[in-house]
Amino acid sequence: SDFIRILRTDGRMRRFVLSWGFITAASTAGMFFVPAAIDRFQVDATAIGVYTMLLVAAQVFGGVALGWISDRYGTRGPLLVSALSMAVALIIAAVADRPVTIAFAFLAMGVPLGAEMMARYNTFSSPPLGCSGVGLVLLRAVRDPRHG
């Protein structure tokens, strides 16, 4: 099939698909972070809100910082950082012994979720456009009539 041929001949695409697959598979464990925190530490809704806020903040940071690095130097480094950050998040969540410790798992998980999206845009952005992934997102926002 064309997909297999592309994976065999295009190292950048192969690395992207493998990294994206790992991040996606590992992130499914993240949906158990909240029930685990509630069960193990009896955290309340306020703590869950803080965990969610940390996750979103880390997503924004990961998307912007690693997206910029991806634009400038390529997707390899950011995807590796993302995969490592996801592994760290899973380890922290598994060994957390206090509510504050599991908060670091949410931070570590947010970085790859934001960065992976930017790397995906950078991988599939069209060279003739001359836009990076971040550039495509900004261009879309500027050209979208709903944004004034």
Side-chain angles (χ1 to χ4, degrees):
S1 86
D2 286 340
F3 180 70
I4 299 300
R5 181 185 53 75
I6 291 170
L7 287 180
R8 285 185 181 150
T9 59
D10 189 341
R12 183 176 178 205
M13 180 61 77
R14 184 174 46 252
R15 285 189 302 274
F16 172 76
V17 168
L18 290 172
S19 299
W20 178 78
F22 173 78
I23 292 167
T24 301
S27 68
T28 60
M31 68 181 135
F32 297 105
F33 286 8
V34 170
I38 292 170
D39 184 56
R40 290 177 11 203
F41 310 120
Q42 290 75 43
V43 297
D44 60 6
T46 302
I48 300 303
V50 170
Y51 294 156
T52 303
M53 196 170 58
L54 291 171
L55 177 78
V56 171
Q59 278 183 289
V60 170
F61 171 78
V64 171
L66 294 177
W68 179 81
I69 292 169
S70 184
D71 283 349
R72 186 116 174 133
Y73 303 106
T75 59
R76 180 183 290 179
L79 286 173
L80 287 173
V81 168
S82 295
L84 289 172
S85 183
M86 184 60 74
V88 166
L90 297 174
I91 291 167
I92 291 171
V95 301
D97 59 347
R98 297 185 325 228
V100 71
T101 308
I102 204 164
F104 288 102
F106 284 89
L107 279 171
M109 186 171 167
V111 171
L113 294 178
E116 181 272 331
M117 187 183 329
M118 283 294 105
R120 189 171 351 128
Y121 284 123
N122 288 353
T123 299
F124 295 110
S125 63
S126 175
L129 285 177
C131 291
S132 63
V134 174
L136 287 173
V137 172
L138 295 175
L139 181 65
R140 170 77 179 165
V142 169
R143 287 193 168 175
D144 193 335
R146 294 174 294 178
H147 293 108

